[in-house]
């Protein structure tokens, strides 16, 4: 097991360094608990003295090999953390290797140039909750291994397959491609086909121009109250739930 310098750990908050080392950082007991449950290949656990003292039972029950625990003082904990108030436990994970798309999988969510890492993480968490195990990301998306994405996903990254830099036209001959639009068919009456891709577009601009030509059908969420639109995370949650339950 490699012990990385604090400088390298801190550098993993940037995409170019995550790509260079093929690593990303996770923080917090709940997320690390998920990583352990999914048997991820994690590195050393950097724990503050306070965390070790307050979580002795959790450490005893979950960390079989105590030699992977590296005690850090408060200053060091702040230095390597990606948050203003460090949780006191941090580790490094491998970014999963890329694998080819499996066109036999019936239902996909395609994330089209969503740039906010918080929205990215929330959508990953939603997909995992409702049973979408495969998510395709277009070029230009926020990095799903960005620290903010990881925190928003709350460990959901570990149980699903993420495919980055995927072009939507890859699905045009195998799946019906569907997207949300205010003028689309009411999703309450819409029947999702067995093999389909649900496209969720950019927060400000919606579906990108280069991908609109591949959309076969549009669906909409009926407004019952007031407001101009829904946040992509909120709309995505509703549509993903219906996709997997209709």
């Amino acid at each position: 097991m490699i012990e990385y310098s604090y400088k390298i750990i801190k550098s993993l908050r940037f995409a170019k360094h995550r790509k260079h080392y093929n690593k990303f950082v996770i923080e917090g007991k709940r997320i690390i608990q998920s990583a352990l449950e999914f048997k991820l290949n994690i590195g050393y656990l950097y724990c503050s003295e306070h965390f070790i003292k307050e979580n002795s039972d959790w450490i005893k029950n979950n960390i079989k090999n105590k030699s992977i625990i590296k005690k850090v003082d408060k200053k060091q904990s702040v230095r390597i953390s990606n948050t203003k108030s460090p949780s006191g436990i941090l580790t490094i994970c491998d970014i999963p290797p890329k694998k080819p798309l499996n066109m036999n999988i019936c239902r996909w969510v395609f994330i089209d140039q969503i740039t906010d890492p918080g929205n990215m993480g929330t959508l990953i968490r939603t997909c995992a909750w409702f049973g979408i195990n495969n998510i395709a990301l277009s070029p230009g998306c926020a990095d799903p291994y960005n620290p903010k994405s990881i925190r928003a996903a709350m460990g959901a990254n570990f149980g699903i397959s993420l495919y980055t830099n995927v072009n939507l036209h890859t699905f045009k001959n195998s799946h019906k491609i569907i997207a949300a639009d205010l003028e689309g068919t009411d999703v309450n009456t819409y029947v999702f086909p067995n093999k389909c891709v649900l496209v969720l577009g950019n927060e400000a601009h919606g579906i990108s121009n280069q991908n609109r030509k591949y959309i076969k059908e549009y669906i909409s969420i009926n407004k019952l109250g007031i407001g101009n639109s829904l946040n992509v995370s909120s709309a995505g949650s509703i549509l993903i739930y219906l996709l997997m339950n209709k």
Side-chain angles (χ1 to χ4, degrees):
M1 187 181 295
I2 300 173
E3 182 175 4
Y4 291 94
S5 68
Y6 295 150
K7 181 179 179 180
I8 291 175
I9 296 172
K10 187 176 180 179
S11 76
L12 295 177
R13 67 187 63 188
F14 300 108
K16 66 178 182 179
H17 295 295
R18 292 193 294 273
K19 183 177 180 180
H20 175 74
Y21 292 104
N22 201 47
K23 305 281 184 183
F24 67 102
V25 170
I26 59 174
E27 294 186 63
K29 186 170 69 173
R30 287 179 62 192
I31 297 178
I32 290 174
Q33 176 78 52
S34 294
L36 294 170
E37 290 172 356
F38 281 101
K39 301 186 185 306
L40 259 66
N41 180 29
I42 65 171
Y44 287 106
L45 290 171
Y46 297 89
C47 301
S48 68
E49 295 179 6
H50 178 75
F51 180 89
I52 293 172
K53 181 178 179 181
E54 294 295 316
N55 295 275
S56 57
D57 288 341
W58 180 84
I59 291 171
K60 180 181 178 181
N61 294 329
N62 292 279
I63 311 302
K64 295 179 181 179
N65 180 8
K66 302 301 186 291
S67 67
I68 70 169
I69 296 175
K70 297 289 182 181
K71 189 183 294 186
V72 295
D73 60 30
K74 185 176 181 180
K75 184 177 180 180
Q76 292 167 333
S77 180
V78 170
R79 181 182 176 189
I80 61 177
S81 175
N82 291 307
T83 63
K84 291 182 179 179
S85 301
S87 63
I89 183 169
L90 173 154
T91 190
I92 297 173
C93 296
D94 294 333
I95 294 176
K98 289 187 177 182
K99 54 185 180 180
L101 296 172
N102 181 355
M103 290 302 163
N104 291 321
I105 294 168
C106 290
R107 293 190 170 179
W108 289 77
V109 165
F110 184 93
I111 296 179
D112 184 23
Q113 296 189 16
I114 287 178
T115 56
D116 182 272
N119 284 335
M120 174 66 71
T122 300
L123 287 170
I124 291 171
R125 187 177 181 180
T126 299
C127 284
W129 183 264
F130 290 121
I132 291 285
N133 297 319
N134 296 272
I135 305 175
L137 281 63
S138 76
C141 275
D143 183 0
Y145 300 103
N146 177 295
K148 290 182 180 178
S149 296
I150 294 295
R151 289 198 297 274
M154 284 302 295
N157 301 59
F158 311 143
I160 61 175
S161 296
L162 296 169
Y163 301 82
T164 57
N165 295 314
V166 177
N167 292 309
L168 185 58
H169 68 72
T170 306
F171 296 98
K172 68 178 183 178
N173 294 324
S174 58
H175 293 69
K176 180 165 282 188
I177 300 175
I178 304 160
D181 187 270
L182 290 175
E183 303 301 320
T185 302
D186 185 348
V187 71
N188 288 308
T189 61
Y190 183 77
V191 179
F192 287 95
N194 184 47
K195 292 191 74 173
C196 62
V197 177
L198 174 63
V199 182
L200 302 174
N202 176 271
E203 296 88 347
H205 307 293
I207 308 300
S208 59
N209 290 332
Q210 65 265 35
N211 282 333
R212 284 192 174 275
K213 58 188 174 184
Y214 302 117
I215 307 299
K216 302 290 179 62
E217 294 182 351
Y218 286 95
I219 54 178
S220 65
I221 300 170
N222 190 30
K223 182 171 72 173
L224 302 178
I226 61 172
N228 294 321
S229 62
L230 288 173
N231 174 278
V232 66
S233 298
S234 301
S237 296
I238 295 168
L239 295 173
I240 291 165
Y241 168 76
L242 293 173
L243 171 66
M244 299 304 288
N245 284 275
K246 291 183 67 175

